[in-house]
Amino acid sequence: MGVIHGRFDPSGAASYSAAGRIRRNPGEAQSKVEPMVDSPCIKICELNGDGVCVGCGRTRAEIAGWISMADAQKAQVVELAEKRKRAWSASHKGDCLIASSE
């Protein structure tokens, strides 16, 4: 038996929540359960010259589209963002602003 927005559904069909995620019947077998992907945002929201956030490593388009992405897409974005952050860190190793005492 399924539930549609908190109401009983006698057909027992799977239903969709308000967020669009499918809810299965408690006894129904699922082939694969994947956890939801959390946003990589760390609240340091500043885009560098390449249009990539220095906090999370996502592009402006990835940030804007996050809410409408499927979990598989979000997982890909998180992986790409981590690669961007590592590459950026490696290319800027030793870069720091030191005030001259002169």
Side-chain angles (χ1 to χ4, degrees):
M1 297 188 199
V3 176
I4 300 175
H5 301 287
R7 293 189 300 259
F8 176 73
D9 176 12
S11 72
S15 61
Y16 293 86
S17 68
R21 297 212 180 276
I22 193 166
R23 287 187 269 190
R24 304 241 181 239
N25 298 324
E28 187 176 331
Q30 294 182 2
S31 59
K32 186 175 181 183
V33 177
E34 294 182 22
M36 290 178 54
V37 179
D38 291 329
S39 170
C41 180
I42 59 171
K43 308 293 188 237
I44 301 175
C45 306
E46 181 182 331
L47 298 179
N48 65 17
D50 295 325
V52 174
C53 178
V54 299
C56 69
R58 293 179 292 170
T59 65
R60 181 185 305 268
E62 291 166 344
I63 294 166
W66 185 262
I67 193 99
S68 62
M69 289 180 188
D71 286 341
Q73 291 172 298
K74 289 178 180 181
Q76 272 186 320
V77 167
V78 169
E79 187 177 321
L80 289 171
E82 285 297 322
K83 286 180 183 177
R84 285 187 203 113
K85 284 174 51 176
R86 283 193 301 271
W88 189 85
S89 292
S91 68
H92 290 81
K93 202 172 244 183
D95 286 359
C96 62
L97 299 174
I98 301 175
S100 174
S101 59
E102 294 177 15

